[in-house]
Amino acid sequence: MARKAFIAGNWKMNMTAESGKQLITELKPLVKGAKCEIALCVPAILIPAMVKAAKGSKIKIGAQNVHFAKSGAYTGEISADMLKEYGVKYVIIGHSERRQYFGETDETVNKRTLAALENELTPIVCVGETLEEREGNKTEKVLARQLETGLNGIEDITKVVIAYEPVWAIGTGKTATDGQAQETIAYIRKKLGKLFGVRNANKVRIQYGGSMNANNCKGLMAQPDIDGGLIGGASLKTDFATIVNYDK
Ligand code: 13P
């Protein structure tokens, strides 16, 4: 089952219009020959300028969150319509930092994911266990809950991208080993098979995220169930292009 590789950057709360524009200008020629799909998920306020900067290249711009309501009294939030107006194609949903600091739950992840799909945005739904959960042998249980609730009611799961981001590997320099990442992502695919049918599960792209960088990307991408990466720190520099070109 051929799944197109998908490398996405998550700038988190980094960069400015000026530095972002400069980085994208540097990245453009470097990613020209890439075969994978490429996205940079940038802070909302930078979206218009980054869409403009990335024009004419393979880099598509994504957001880092979307509200589930069409519009209304939700101070500080951003709707799918607003994102689409600027040419946004992807949106990260349920990142562990949002779960940890901003009260995101499996239920709100579900509502945001359904809203993204209704509006033809590709959701990148993040799941992953904490170190405590891994050490307590609860990884599969936690992932099962995140997937069951977070993806509840989705009609076409093949339109969703899943990012497996073990919380203990995010920003820590502690990457999951190729084997750990493969084993856990294979479990996620098996669970998707139970929820949505094996044929559909085999079409879903699952990224690995957590200290993925120019050095370890090749080994991770060589794993049979790993279809891409969600890159934090390394997407803030031209290393991102090295990851995008992992197959060269
Ligand atoms: P790092 O690559 O900085 O560990 O971040 C991963 C991440 O959280 C991407 O969403």
Side-chain angles (χ1 to χ4, degrees), residues 10 12 95 97 165 169-171 209-212 230-233:
N10 174 10
K12 308 191 180 184
H95 191 280
E97 287 148 17
E165 298 208 316
I170 297 176
S211 300
M212 192 159 163
L230 186 54
I231 323 296

Side-chain angles (χ1 to χ4, degrees), residues 18-48:
E18 209 41 56
S19 59
K21 222 177 346 180
Q22 196 184 325
L23 177 60
I24 290 183
T25 307
E26 285 171 42
L27 287 171
K28 272 166 122 172
L30 301 174
V31 303
K32 230 178 183 155
K35 288 192 206 78
C36 63
E37 209 167 301
I38 311 166
L40 284 172
C41 298
V42 307
I45 197 167
L46 302 185
I47 287 170

Side-chain angles (χ1 to χ4, degrees), residues 147-164:
L147 295 166
E148 274 164 24
T149 309
L151 305 177
N152 185 32
I154 288 175
E155 261 170 46
D156 186 356
I157 194 65
T158 66
K159 293 197 169 135
V160 175
V161 174
I162 307 284
Y164 167 58

